[in-house]
């Protein structure tokens, strides 16, 4: 009997140790998982769907602009009524600001808060947007302005800057989309945009009027989403390539070309048919900002999410292929 009691005590003691260790292991496992999960910084915005990113650097912060994908799970097309803005001082922690601009802020617009880009000039912030025109068939490009990178923004023209009847190179009515703007070293501003055809035109110094004819650029398999930027002596024109979309790019020593096609920059963006990029330099590092269908279970082509990874240049100025990661940018 005494021997039996000893055995019971021994078994109980071992079970106590087992469950104590097991609880510790579970705790460590949860902590490990939490730490692992916290390193997954892509997508950068996880509480709502964001798409068509653009960004600027201003006063030691990055301002991220995006369209708001609002399509319900059973709606299989884009539903976008507003644009959003976030800011960050480290590319990891992002602060959401009040909604700065909606389609309804343009009296001439009907629907669709499609791709857009902000640029600063002389202390004012100009937001070039894509939307559906209410009286002229097709997509159009408008301009809103603010004294702050976070808005609020107001329609500065009271009408569209670009309408579909101004571009007759194609019969489609959605070729006037995805504006991208750059101010060159000599102060001359340029607007790039397009779908199936890449357009560009000079802008007057007031940033709200064209300063010359609309011209086109011949690029292999150009779909949409041109983004123009400069580094060193090179101009870079990246764009959505084929469909579903990859990202490709071309280079030139002149902003008006000729452009030399250099190949792919980014692969298919997961389960998103579209691939829309922004490229910036911040605190001596270069970044590639894009979207995927990365938030699951409902992310996809019409519920997209902005991601950020590093962009690297080769010694000859060409771009290294972007590696899309779940980790994204780390502190």
């Amino acid at each position: 009997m005494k021997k039996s009691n000893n055995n019971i005590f021994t078994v109980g003691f071992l079970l106590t140790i087992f469950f104590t260790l097991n609880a510790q292991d579970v705790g460590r496992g949860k902590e490990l998982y939490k730490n692992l999960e916290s390193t997954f910084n892509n997508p950068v915005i996880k509480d709502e769907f964001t798409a068509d990113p653009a960004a600027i650097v201003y006063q030691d912060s990055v301002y991220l602009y995006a369209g708001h994908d609002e399509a319900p799970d059973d709606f299989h097309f884009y539903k976008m009524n507003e644009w959003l803005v976030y800011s960050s001082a480290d590319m990891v922690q992002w602060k959401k600001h009040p909604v700065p601009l909606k389609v309804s802020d343009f009296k001439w617009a009907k629907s669709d808060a499609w791709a857009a880009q902000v640029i600063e000039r002389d202390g004012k912030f100009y937001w070039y947007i894509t939307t559906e025109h209410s009286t002229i068939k097709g997509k159009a490009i408008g301009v809103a302005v603010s004294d702050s990178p976070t808005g609020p923004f107001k329609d500065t023209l009271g009408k569209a800057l670009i309408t579909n009847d101004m571009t007759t190179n194609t019969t489609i009515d959605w070729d006037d989309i995805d504006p991208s703007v750059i101010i060159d070293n000599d102060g001359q501003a340029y607007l790039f945009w397009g779908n199936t055809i890449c357009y560009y035109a000079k802008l007057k110094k007031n940033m709200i009027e064209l300063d010359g004819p609309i011209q086109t650029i011949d690029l292999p398999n150009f779909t949409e989403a041109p983004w123009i930027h400069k580094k060193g002596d090179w101009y870079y024109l990246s764009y959505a390539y084929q469909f579903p979309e990859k990202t490709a790019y071309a280079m030139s020593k002149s902003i008006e070309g000729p452009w030399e096609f250099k190949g792919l920059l980014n692969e298919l963006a997961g389960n998103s048919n579209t691939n829309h990029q922004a490229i910036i330099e911040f605190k001596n590092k270069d970044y590639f900002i894009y979207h995927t269908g990365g938030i699951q279970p409902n992310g996809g082509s019409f519920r997209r999410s902005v991601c950020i990874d590093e962009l690297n240049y080769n010694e000859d100025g060409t771009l290294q292929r972007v590696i899309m990661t779940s980790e994204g940018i780390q502190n």
Side-chain angles (χ1 to χ4, degrees):
M1 188 71 178
K2 188 174 183 180
K3 183 177 180 182
S4 176
N5 286 339
N6 287 340
N7 288 341
I8 292 172
F9 175 79
T10 301
V11 171
F13 178 72
L14 291 174
L15 285 173
T16 300
I17 293 175
F18 172 79
F19 284 117
T20 300
L21 291 175
N22 193 48
Q24 291 175 347
D25 289 341
V26 170
R28 282 195 294 266
K30 287 182 178 179
E31 186 65 26
L32 179 63
Y33 179 78
K34 182 180 179 181
N35 291 338
L36 181 63
E37 188 180 45
S38 68
T39 66
F40 291 165
N41 290 331
N42 277 335
V44 297
I45 309 299
K46 296 179 172 63
D47 59 346
E48 56 195 335
F49 294 110
T50 53
D52 303 327
I56 62 169
V57 176
Y58 182 71
Q59 292 185 349
D60 297 322
S61 288
V62 174
Y63 292 86
L64 171 65
Y65 303 89
H68 186 190
D69 270 345
E70 302 175 75
D73 297 344
D74 59 351
F75 190 78
H76 303 298
F77 197 65
Y78 306 105
K79 185 176 182 181
M80 308 176 77
N81 299 307
E82 62 189 14
W83 294 271
L84 306 176
V85 59
Y86 304 83
S87 64
S88 176
D90 60 6
M91 300 292 286
V92 175
Q93 303 296 323
W94 292 92
K95 175 184 177 182
K96 183 182 179 181
H97 299 273
V99 173
L101 192 63
K102 300 180 179 181
V103 172
S104 58
D105 293 328
F106 299 90
K107 293 182 179 179
W108 50 268
K110 181 169 65 174
S111 59
D112 297 339
W114 283 16
Q117 185 182 336
V118 174
I119 194 168
E120 182 268 338
R121 183 163 202 166
D122 298 331
K124 290 188 177 294
F125 299 85
Y126 297 88
W127 200 339
Y128 299 81
I129 60 91
T130 305
T131 189
E132 183 78 11
H133 204 285
S134 60
T135 59
I136 302 173
K137 184 180 180 182
K139 290 293 185 286
I141 294 172
V143 190
V145 67
S146 175
D147 294 325
S148 165
T150 59
F153 286 78
K154 294 184 178 180
D155 181 5
T156 187
L157 278 173
K159 62 179 182 179
L161 174 64
I162 304 289
T163 53
N164 188 57
D165 55 357
M166 295 169 62
T167 52
T168 58
N169 303 71
T170 177
T171 58
I172 66 172
D173 60 18
W174 60 90
D175 54 318
D176 296 297
I177 66 172
D178 298 357
S180 180
V181 187
I182 188 173
I183 300 173
D184 208 354
N185 294 346
D186 62 1
Q188 178 64 61
Y190 293 82
L191 173 67
F192 290 72
W193 74 97
N195 179 287
T196 68
I197 295 175
C198 185
Y199 301 107
Y200 78 99
K202 291 181 179 180
L203 290 170
K204 292 183 179 179
K205 193 173 182 179
N206 63 18
M207 303 298 285
I208 58 174
E209 294 179 89
L210 299 186
D211 190 16
I214 296 173
Q215 303 186 67
T216 62
I217 303 171
D218 185 19
L219 295 166
N221 293 298
F222 176 83
T223 304
E224 57 187 0
W227 179 276
I228 182 75
H229 79 280
K230 186 180 184 183
K231 189 176 180 70
D233 296 330
W234 288 104
Y235 296 89
Y236 297 83
L237 182 52
S238 51
Y239 61 94
Y241 177 96
Q242 298 179 330
F243 192 87
E245 296 172 353
K246 308 175 183 69
T247 301
Y249 78 104
M251 294 172 60
S252 176
K253 284 294 182 74
S254 168
I255 197 167
E256 298 191 32
W259 293 93
E260 182 179 348
F261 180 71
K262 291 297 183 179
L264 293 184
L265 180 56
N266 190 27
E267 292 290 349
L268 294 173
N271 59 344
S272 170
N273 285 332
T274 58
N275 202 333
H276 194 110
Q277 78 292 350
I279 294 172
I280 62 168
E281 181 179 344
F282 181 59
K283 295 183 178 179
N284 299 315
K285 287 188 176 182
D286 298 284
Y287 298 96
F288 186 84
I289 309 172
Y290 59 104
H291 66 225
T292 69
I295 293 181
Q296 294 305 313
N298 299 316
S301 291
F302 310 118
R303 289 169 295 277
R304 297 159 292 181
S305 300
V306 172
C307 300
I308 305 175
D309 281 297
E310 288 191 14
L311 176 68
N312 295 294
Y313 293 77
N314 296 313
E315 289 187 6
D316 63 358
T318 56
L319 300 175
Q320 295 179 20
R321 188 77 65 93
V322 172
I323 299 175
M324 294 182 283
T325 69
S326 296
E327 290 80 5
I329 305 305
Q330 303 289 311
N331 277 330

